Amino acid sequence: MDNSKENLILQQQSSIPSFLTKTYDILENSNYSDIIQWNQDGKAFIIKKPYEFAKKILPKYFKHNNYTSFIRQLNIYDFHKIKNELGKHEFKHNFFQKEKKHLLCEIKRKSIEQQEQLEENNQIQSQYKINLYQPIIIHN
Amino acid sequence: MDNSKENLILQQQSSIPSFLTKTYDILENSNYSDIIQWNQDGKAFIIKKPYEFAKKILPKYFKHNNYTSFIRQLNIYDFHKIKNELGKHEFKHNFFQKEKKHLLCEIKRKSIEQQEQLEENNQIQSQYKINLYQPIIIHN
Amino acid sequence: MDNSKENLILQQQSSIPSFLTKTYDILENSNYSDIIQWNQDGKAFIIKKPYEFAKKILPKYFKHNNYTSFIRQLNIYDFHKIKNELGKHEFKHNFFQKEKKHLLCEIKRKSIEQQEQLEENNQIQSQYKINLYQPIIIHN
DNA sequence: CACGTTCTAGAATATTCGCAC
DNA sequence: TGTGCGAATATTCTAGAACGT
């Protein structure tokens, strides 16, 4: 059997936005642990070096190297910044936890106020929603 | 007199999407004339080598190197493909012409169907909504 | 005559927000020219090294070292980012120019525009509409 | 009260994918 | 690689809102 086709079907069924899977992948990469890492209990993550995160890691996964664009996406998916010591960049979402990748499918875009209305009208199509984004990384 | 208000209006008018100015810039670059070029009468342009256009030129101006994404943008702005000899990639918009960059501001996005509805619903608020999104574009 | 005293009085009377004067002072400091600097024609400024700007310069003038907080202030005062090459941080306000510090008093908070418009809708108050945030300034 | 700082959201354009014709 | 479009996510620039001084 063609594995690529099988994976394609899996991707279709899960339909998890690439922002979530990519961010999760970054956190699973132990090479980045000095820049970005899960917190102690694994229920949030800390960007320990925002500048290096933006310049070194972001362009490998996304089409930009802007820290603020990454933060905008976090807020779109309803992550929240945790208030703690000065200058600590810690973010949390109840369905974004270490060793619990299966919860990612529960995370929804926030601006669903309009989308919910549309989905109620188009319940059939929502089953076939597909995310086949393939990152094309352009370095300069 | 209040110049700031006047300038604000000017800025609104000058809000030309970067897709249009970038595509125009590409056509003005004579180094690319063997890949993409204005046609004879200057009222359309021809992508003579789509593959090289996608891989060499697109990533210098956009965040991707996909020919189809470029074509999607052309369609969004209501460009049309000209049917002619086999395999000729020629596109046209009445306000996209050689030596007439000042016409770019007349080109509008096509998917205004939704925008029109939103505007109808927000007639009151529309008084307070100002499009400040497009800053002045300065090329070197 | 004591110029310093005169300038002090002028500053008090004009009540220019400290954000504007501090940002202007930063740009007048030639020691920072490799981090932040006026552009060629002096009608905009470029933050050449955002990270160093945030960490080295901002805390000397403000109560934080966050680049985004500085950008938020720029937008509040109606500065606009100029679109140009990727990663270039250039900002402009028509009344924020090199060698023209006397124009700073013309820069107003953006959020006042909405208040003005709201007042215009309240026809009763509109008769008495006065810009209370800009005291009378006497030049020369 | 105006201003400053922080966190989040609005709005427009950009990119991708699949479908209808 | 037929052509154009709808829809979803992504990226960017600007603004809203809360809170403190």
Side-chain angles (χ1 to χ4, degrees), chain B residues 6-50:
Chain B
E6 221 168 275
N7 291 328
L8 194 63
I9 296 172
L10 285 174
Q11 278 195 350
Q12 289 177 21
Q13 292 176 344
S14 67
S15 61
I16 299 175
S18 63
F19 172 76
L20 298 174
T21 55
K22 288 178 178 177
T23 303
Y24 202 93
D25 288 347
I26 290 171
L27 282 160
E28 282 187 326
N29 189 334
S30 60
N31 292 330
Y32 300 148
S33 58
D34 58 328
I35 297 175
I36 180 174
Q37 198 175 28
W38 294 105
N39 74 348
Q40 280 191 346
D41 62 7
K43 295 186 177 178
F45 66 90
I46 306 171
I47 303 173
K48 299 152 82 174
K49 298 179 180 177

Side-chain angles (χ1 to χ4, degrees), chain B residues 32-82:
Chain B
Y32 300 148
S33 58
D34 58 328
I35 297 175
I36 180 174
Q37 198 175 28
W38 294 105
N39 74 348
Q40 280 191 346
D41 62 7
K43 295 186 177 178
F45 66 90
I46 306 171
I47 303 173
K48 299 152 82 174
K49 298 179 180 177
Y51 182 79
E52 297 196 2
F53 173 71
K55 300 310 172 191
K56 294 182 179 177
I57 298 178
L58 281 182
K60 291 184 179 179
Y61 290 81
F62 304 98
K63 291 178 179 297
H64 67 86
N65 59 1
N66 303 116
Y67 187 67
T68 54
S69 293
F70 180 79
I71 302 304
R72 184 72 192 90
Q73 283 283 72
L74 287 178
N75 288 324
I76 284 174
Y77 287 98
D78 210 14
F79 287 70
H80 286 276
K81 190 169 188 178
I82 299 177

